[in-house]
Amino acid sequence: MTEENEKMVVTPWEVRGVIDYDKLIEQFGVQPMTPGLAERIAKHAGYMHLQLRRGIYLSHRDVDWWLGEHEKGNRVGLYTGRGPSGYVHLGHLLPWFFCKYLQDAFGADLYFQMTDDEKFVFDDHLSLDQTIGYTYDNALDVIACGLDPEKTHIFSDTEHIQHLYKIALRVSKRVTYSTAKAVFGFQDSDNIGMIWYPALQAMTCFLQSDRDGENIPCLIPAAIDQDPYWRMTRDIAEKMGYYKPAQIHAKFLPGLGKGGKMSSSMPETAIFTVDPPEVAENKVMAAFTGGQATVKEQREKGGDPTICSIYAYAYFLFEEDDAKLIELEKDCRSGALVCGDCKARLAKVISRFLVDFQAKREKAKDSIQDYFIK
Ligand code: TYM
């Protein structure tokens, strides 16, 4: 089956096919982001983040309410996470960069969940020692995003379970097996660890409220694949005495191949934060583009940036300047720019980014314990 006619699948564990975001908004029953909401966030931050300006946050639930609570002078919180199944790639960084922006803008605490239990029960090939090892490795990436150590609380589901278990139990008692099956599509052959796990991912929505002893509105920035968890959690939140968690959903950073999101399961089309810069440069030089088969044809007909992974990287992450992005698009379409030059340019930018980010990761080793919950 070709990518074009492959059925769209977006679940927390699998994303494939051509992603129709309008259809997802309808299927998931979420609200489209609006320019007004983006403006309201930007007003608090003092500037409009690239991800807001470019519509990378496509939808939300109750962001207006969460903003309203902050505007009334109430405390607000943030929550996001990572399933530590390997090294972190650029796609994972998108919501974490955005969390840093929101943390600074709203002075909010961020609870960051490392789901080493999830990756153990869902993946046949990973041992618990491995997923726990990646928890501490991936935490370096989180810290390298520049988050505030006073306001960032990273935890591992396995190693910090004493802080989590009671709330998770209260969640689990409210969710029936039939709801879990309907939301996550569990099969009889699935292990019972998988079926219990959603209680852990839901629990964090209430963790700050529980620890601080007051009801704190929680906003979750993440890509839209994580949405099923929030549907389940929102159903039970008020019954448990908490606010429903709000969400802001990102689109997926594509991989370097033709179509599809950046995914660890396709390492040749993903750029990992630990990739040596020259390896990343080679991946970029081998990427799928929207260009023509030959330079001559490209000069005559121009390329198509809408399907080009190289253009996507400029758009999602690496070209801050909107005017330069427009110029890039124009030069691509007109044939003034050929793919080899465009790739070489991006390869250098990514290489510089990695050198800088890897230095921050290294430095994070000295302060990692300041970020984990006690
Ligand atoms: P995980 O490890 O699959 O993904 C971590 C975060 O990265 C986002 N993401 C992407 N965003 C943009 N482009 C991509 N190509 C891309 N690939 C992944 C995910 O949406 C996620 O935000 N079960 C979760 C861990 C978790 C969590 C959470 C995530 C626990 N609590 C709360 C978000 C919010 C997981 O395995 O994420």
Side-chain angles (χ1 to χ4, degrees):
M1 206 185 285
T2 62
E3 174 83 32
E4 283 74 20
N5 60 18
E6 193 182 12
K7 196 169 159 275
M8 172 175 75
V9 176
V10 176
T11 73
W13 309 290
E14 192 181 16
V15 176
R16 68 183 150 80
V18 176
I19 296 162
D20 179 339
Y21 286 110
D22 290 336
K23 206 162 161 190
L24 275 185
I25 289 180
E26 204 186 299
Q27 268 178 14
F28 287 2
V30 293
Q31 304 301 308
M33 263 306 273
T34 61
L37 269 181
E39 287 292 347
R40 233 169 116 193
I41 296 173
K43 201 181 92 215
H44 293 290
Y47 73 103
M48 174 95 74
H49 195 278
L50 176 152
Q51 294 182 29
L52 284 176
R53 283 198 321 267
R54 307 228 170 120
I56 289 160
Y57 280 91
L58 73 146
S59 58
H60 75 102
R61 280 201 188 94
D62 287 346
V63 166
D64 40 353
W65 162 78
W66 186 87
L67 285 168
E69 289 296 307
H70 173 78
E71 286 159 4
K72 280 192 254 168
N74 294 333
R75 282 177 78 194
V76 289
L78 295 165
Y79 159 37
T80 202
R82 159 75 179 143
S85 56
Y87 291 114
V88 161
H89 62 57
L90 296 182
H92 300 130
L93 294 183
L94 274 188
W96 307 348
F97 285 158
F98 197 64
C99 282
K100 153 82 181 148
Y101 168 77
L102 294 178
Q103 183 175 69
D104 290 349
F106 296 95
D109 282 48
L110 168 68
Y111 276 79
F112 196 106
Q113 181 172 30
M114 291 290 186
T115 60
D116 31 25
D117 54 345
E118 175 192 18
K119 291 300 153 179
F120 174 65
V121 293
F122 278 88
D123 192 308
D124 291 337
H125 308 289
L126 286 169
S127 70
L128 256 184
D129 282 348
Q130 282 173 312
T131 61
I132 295 169
Y134 282 125
T135 284
Y136 291 101
D137 170 86
N138 294 180
L140 301 177
D141 294 281
V142 176
I143 297 167
C145 292
L147 293 154
D148 178 349
E150 300 285 320
K151 289 186 173 293
T152 304
H153 314 280
I154 307 177
F155 61 94
S156 138
D157 283 352
T158 59
E159 305 233 298
H160 300 97
I161 190 66
Q162 72 275 25
H163 300 283
L164 323 174
Y165 193 55
K166 286 183 187 161
I167 319 175
L169 275 177
R170 287 169 54 217
V171 168
S172 69
K173 201 170 173 180
R174 299 256 178 206
V175 182
T176 64
Y177 180 43
S178 103
T179 300
K181 274 200 293 193
V183 175
F184 299 103
F186 290 130
Q187 305 291 319
D188 286 352
S189 56
D190 288 334
N191 68 59
I192 58 174
M194 293 162 70
I195 294 147
W196 152 258
Y197 169 72
L200 256 299
Q201 184 149 337
M203 167 281 306
T204 317
C205 299
F206 315 128
L207 185 58
Q208 185 183 10
S209 296
D210 203 67
R211 277 163 67 90
D212 293 0
E214 61 179 298
N215 222 346
I216 301 173
C218 167
L219 171 67
I220 308 165
I224 195 162
D225 58 335
Q226 299 298 312
D227 188 69
Y229 289 110
W230 321 133
R231 263 177 266 156
M232 180 192 93
T233 315
R234 285 169 61 87
D235 259 7
I236 57 166
E238 286 173 339
K239 293 178 206 145
M240 288 178 63
Y242 301 109
Y243 293 126
K244 289 182 181 187
Q247 290 90 53
I248 183 160
H249 301 114
K251 293 182 183 170
F252 300 107
L253 179 74
L256 290 163
K258 187 169 180 227
K261 70 158 193 154
M262 182 168 281
S263 164
S264 310
S265 57
M266 286 181 288
E268 54 312 330
T269 59
I271 291 176
F272 296 94
T273 59
V274 295
D275 275 346
E278 59 284 3
V279 170
E281 286 189 40
N282 289 339
K283 288 182 185 176
V284 172
M285 292 313 289
F288 172 80
T289 71
Q292 304 293 341
T294 64
V295 170
K296 184 168 175 285
E297 251 186 286
Q298 173 83 9
R299 294 271 183 228
E300 284 164 15
K301 299 183 188 157
D304 180 358
T306 62
I307 57 162
C308 178
S309 63
I310 302 295
Y311 178 77
Y313 285 87
Y315 188 90
F316 274 77
L317 272 169
F318 292 112
E319 185 49 83
E320 256 299 330
D321 185 330
D322 291 341
K324 285 195 182 145
L325 188 75
I326 292 171
E327 201 179 313
L328 177 69
E329 181 181 351
K330 204 166 84 259
D331 289 349
C332 168
R333 288 191 191 280
S334 72
L337 185 61
V338 293
C339 296
D341 294 344
C342 190
K343 282 181 183 174
R345 201 195 281 177
L346 182 77
K348 285 285 161 248
V349 173
I350 290 189
S351 169
R352 278 199 298 274
F353 167 82
L354 287 176
V355 169
D356 177 57
F357 198 81
Q358 286 167 8
K360 288 181 180 150
R361 261 180 60 93
E362 211 35 52
K363 200 153 165 267
K365 289 181 183 163
D366 301 333
S367 59
I368 187 165
Q369 282 315 324
D370 300 343
Y371 287 82
F372 274 86
I373 62 172
K374 309 274 178 322

